[in-house]
Amino acid sequence: MEKLKVAVVGYGNIGAYAMDAVNGAPDMELVGLVRRDGQTPQGVTIPVVDDIAKLPTKPDVALLCTPTRSVEEYAIKCLEQGICTVDSYDIHETIYELKMSLDAAAKKGGAAAIISAGWDPGTDSIVRAIMLASAPNGLTHTDFGPGMSMGHTVAAKAISGVKNALSMTMPMGYGVHRRDVYIELENGADFEKVKADLKADPYFATSETHVYKVDDVNVLIDKGHGVNMVRKGGAGKTQNQMLQWKMTIDNPALTSQIMTACARVAKRQGAGAYTMLEFPLIDLLPDSREEIIRALV
Amino acid sequence: MEKLKVAVVGYGNIGAYAMDAVNGAPDMELVGLVRRDGQTPQGVTIPVVDDIAKLPTKPDVALLCTPTRSVEEYAIKCLEQGICTVDSYDIHETIYELKMSLDAAAKKGGAAAIISAGWDPGTDSIVRAIMLASAPNGLTHTDFGPGMSMGHTVAAKAISGVKNALSMTMPMGYGVHRRDVYIELENGADFEKVKADLKADPYFATSETHVYKVDDVNVLIDKGHGVNMVRKGGAGKTQNQMLQWKMTIDNPALTSQIMTACARVAKRQGAGAYTMLEFPLIDLLPDSREEIIRALV
């Protein structure tokens, strides 16, 4: 069996984990790493380039481990060269627009783009769909965390007097979240003023927010995260069906693993852009269709 | 928008619930009920016939709510007339063989068959696939119940001296199940002997089994069931990812609701037979693709 040739684009939070996941896949070969500066990180022995077109082996699929706002630009570049892409674009409000944009580029280049592949959006989207199909009337509540919120951490760091910050999302149940914000102050900053400014910031003003002063934010950071999604709903005329999906996970490791499974999917679809609701899930797995059906159905 | 014309075949444990689910679907019209005896059940106002070909309106899709061993025969009959089918065939060992058989009939009739659509097989199969894609190395444990086991109840009823029985599957954690068997004795039967015979039966010999003598089995029966599936596994090189799917549900109501969602799927696939791993999940839902992606992804 010929192995799927996969390149990793970006070496930030997710890229290194994506390399682990591709190396662990029995049906894939990691053909290179693409970084803006083209520098080879310590311990990396595969080709590292600053432009995917310069890789010695042309990849079938590129895993886009770039910041979410750069996804569209990198994806279009790959797709137009006929290289399939997988991204974990996570701005929920504009996923449909990304799909439309990448769909056009993908059809032009004769490749497939799997978009918003991760856990939310991603596997959580799949769970939402099966919950809704199983119990069409009712309410779904989603709790995230405990885990670091990137957006709220950036917002906290932007407050005047803050040297470093960590904003944790704490699940309080049934979709309500508390923010626990840990702050290192600039020299001479007034904690009470910083705290008041932070609580008044639009990112925090509408949630219960606790602010703690600490000496060193970095020792508090771990990349664990979680989700607890609960649907209570009716099937037909029968009420009170309870469905639940819960995960406690390492955020970049899980995201990159799901992206890696989607590299298979990309190669198995026709040209176009697909969210995780738009392809058969059997395409996520390396085995034959018969093996998968016998093992999982 | 033209509504999907759906017929229900069978009026046993699942059929009546399937009628509720179809009636509750905004995009479907229930065009008839097919029963072996052709008799109209009390309160049913739609056409009831003994052969699907006799329905005044030809259905697009038939929901096969027959005993699992009759599925293949009924499905082939429908598919060869160009009527799509949905079944909840649940003999895991032969699902692939059913798929092959119905695939041929479906392609001959130019229709689609969605097979083994329910919760296990069904939505649990989907969850197994996303768990495996998310954490390829590790163990999944599935606990079922508390709930009635049809197979074990039949086995208990077959023991000499048993007038009526109920076998409950009790989840003891991480895939181990206890059997709690409630028994009404025939006049003059010896409980200790019946209990010993039952515990020696191949259905019960390998599990912890408790046998209780009761005056009336029927008052103990409810159709609630449940599942708790837990995967602990590694993503890339990162260990100990914990994923969990849990449901507490009314068994026939949930099964028939999922079958009803799959009626949409049938109409949206090309000719052939599909398990729930083999179609895009977006096809389960009644809204437009754009609406679904904006709401769920």
Side-chain angles (χ1 to χ4, degrees), chain B residues 5-237:
Chain B
K5 297 178 189 74
V6 180
V8 169
V9 179
Y11 196 72
N13 201 24
I14 294 181
Y17 289 90
M19 290 171 62
D20 288 343
V22 175
N23 282 327
D27 54 339
M28 296 186 196
E29 180 191 352
L30 183 60
V31 299
L33 172 65
V34 184
R35 299 183 77 187
R36 251 178 316 181
D37 64 8
Q39 296 297 304
T40 301
Q42 210 176 352
V44 170
T45 55
I46 53 167
V48 182
V49 295
D50 63 0
D51 180 341
I52 198 163
K54 294 184 186 167
L55 282 175
T57 306
K58 184 179 176 180
D60 299 308
V61 185
L63 302 184
L64 303 182
C65 307
T66 65
T68 211
R69 295 192 187 280
S70 312
V71 158
E72 186 172 2
E73 178 197 334
Y74 278 97
I76 289 173
K77 208 171 150 181
C78 293
L79 291 166
E80 289 185 343
Q81 294 173 51
I83 299 169
C84 295
T85 61
V86 179
D87 66 67
S88 60
Y89 184 89
D90 65 355
I91 308 170
H92 289 265
E93 295 72 21
T94 49
I95 288 172
Y96 192 75
E97 283 68 26
L98 180 72
K99 173 181 154 73
M100 290 294 103
S101 162
L102 298 197
D103 195 64
K107 284 172 177 161
K108 207 164 127 189
I114 309 299
I115 71 165
S116 299
W119 58 278
D120 202 324
T123 47
D124 282 2
S125 317
I126 289 171
V127 172
R128 283 184 197 104
I130 62 175
M131 283 182 170
L132 205 53
S134 302
N137 294 94
L139 292 168
T140 301
H141 288 99
T142 307
D143 289 1
F144 293 107
M148 183 177 176
S149 165
M150 298 294 182
H152 289 79
T153 294
V154 169
K157 284 180 183 172
I159 303 288
S160 169
V162 173
K163 188 176 163 194
N164 199 2
L166 163 66
S167 181
M168 293 290 290
T169 303
M170 309 305 286
M172 306 308 289
Y174 298 107
V176 172
H177 297 88
R178 193 180 81 200
R179 307 287 169 187
D180 283 3
V181 188
Y182 299 86
I183 281 180
E184 245 176 273
L185 289 178
E186 301 272 16
N187 271 343
D190 172 7
F191 178 57
E192 291 306 321
K193 182 174 182 321
V194 166
K195 187 168 151 178
D197 288 352
L198 187 139
K199 287 190 172 198
D201 186 277
Y203 265 85
F204 299 98
T206 57
S207 302
E208 182 184 339
T209 301
H210 297 201
V211 186
Y212 304 96
K213 187 173 72 159
V214 298
D215 293 334
D216 185 357
V217 158
N218 288 329
V219 298
L220 306 179
I221 293 175
D222 95 308
K223 294 170 190 161
H225 220 300
V227 66
N228 185 23
M229 200 187 308
V230 177
R231 183 166 182 84
K232 177 175 126 61
K237 288 182 182 166

Side-chain angles (χ1 to χ4, degrees), chain A:
Chain A
M1 188 187 66
E2 202 174 340
K3 291 196 174 186
L4 192 66
K5 296 177 190 75
V6 180
V8 170
V9 178
Y11 195 72
N13 201 25
I14 294 181
Y17 289 89
M19 289 171 62
D20 287 345
V22 174
N23 282 327
D27 55 339
M28 297 185 196
E29 180 191 353
L30 183 61
V31 299
L33 171 65
V34 183
R35 299 182 77 187
R36 250 179 315 181
D37 65 8
Q39 296 298 303
T40 300
Q42 209 174 354
V44 170
T45 56
I46 54 166
V48 182
V49 294
D50 62 0
D51 179 342
I52 198 163
K54 294 184 186 168
L55 283 176
T57 306
K58 184 179 176 181
D60 299 307
V61 185
L63 303 184
L64 305 181
C65 307
T66 65
T68 212
R69 295 194 187 280
S70 312
V71 158
E72 186 173 3
E73 178 197 334
Y74 277 97
I76 289 174
K77 208 170 149 181
C78 292
L79 292 166
E80 289 185 343
Q81 294 174 50
I83 300 169
C84 295
T85 62
V86 179
D87 66 67
S88 61
Y89 184 89
D90 65 355
I91 307 171
H92 290 264
E93 295 71 22
T94 48
I95 288 172
Y96 192 76
E97 283 68 26
L98 180 72
K99 173 180 153 76
M100 290 294 103
S101 162
L102 298 197
D103 195 63
K107 284 172 176 161
K108 206 163 127 189
I114 310 299
I115 71 166
S116 301
W119 59 278
D120 202 322
T123 47
D124 282 2
S125 317
I126 289 171
V127 172
R128 283 184 198 104
I130 62 175
M131 283 183 169
L132 204 54
S134 301
N137 294 93
L139 291 169
T140 301
H141 287 100
T142 307
D143 289 359
F144 293 106
M148 184 176 175
S149 164
M150 298 295 183
H152 289 78
T153 295
V154 169
K157 284 180 184 172
I159 303 288
S160 170
V162 173
K163 189 176 162 194
N164 198 1
L166 163 67
S167 181
M168 292 291 289
T169 302
M170 309 304 287
M172 305 309 289
Y174 298 108
V176 173
H177 297 87
R178 193 179 81 198
R179 306 288 170 185
D180 283 2
V181 189
Y182 299 86
I183 281 180
E184 245 176 272
L185 290 178
E186 301 271 17
N187 271 344
D190 172 5
F191 178 57
E192 290 306 320
K193 181 172 185 321
V194 165
K195 188 168 152 180
D197 288 353
L198 187 140
K199 286 190 171 198
D201 186 277
Y203 264 85
F204 299 98
T206 57
S207 302
E208 182 185 338
T209 300
H210 297 202
V211 186
Y212 305 96
K213 187 173 75 159
V214 298
D215 293 333
D216 184 356
V217 158
N218 288 328
V219 296
L220 306 179
I221 294 175
D222 95 307
K223 293 169 190 162
H225 219 301
V227 68
N228 185 23
M229 200 186 310
V230 177
R231 183 165 182 86
K232 177 175 128 61
K237 288 183 182 165
T238 308
Q239 309 300 303
N240 220 35
Q241 315 280 31
M242 304 293 292
L243 299 88
Q244 184 182 15
W245 172 247
K246 194 174 174 181
M247 296 201 304
T248 305
I249 46 100
D250 177 299
N251 195 354
L254 193 80
T255 300
S256 63
Q257 182 66 61
I258 294 168
M259 291 177 71
T260 301
C262 288
R264 287 179 196 113
V265 177
K267 211 44 203 168
R268 291 167 176 176
Q269 312 306 305
Y274 305 81
T275 65
M276 288 191 77
L277 294 183
E278 296 171 273
F279 57 77
L281 297 182
I282 201 165
D283 289 345
L284 286 166
L285 302 172
D287 306 302
S288 75
R289 292 176 89 85
E290 178 173 350
E291 284 168 327
I292 296 166
I293 291 169
R294 289 199 189 278
L296 302 188
V297 181

Side-chain angles (χ1 to χ4, degrees), chain B residues 258-278:
Chain B
I258 295 169
M259 291 176 72
T260 301
C262 287
R264 287 179 196 113
V265 177
K267 214 40 205 169
R268 292 168 176 176
Q269 311 308 304
Y274 305 81
T275 64
M276 288 190 76
L277 294 182
E278 297 172 273

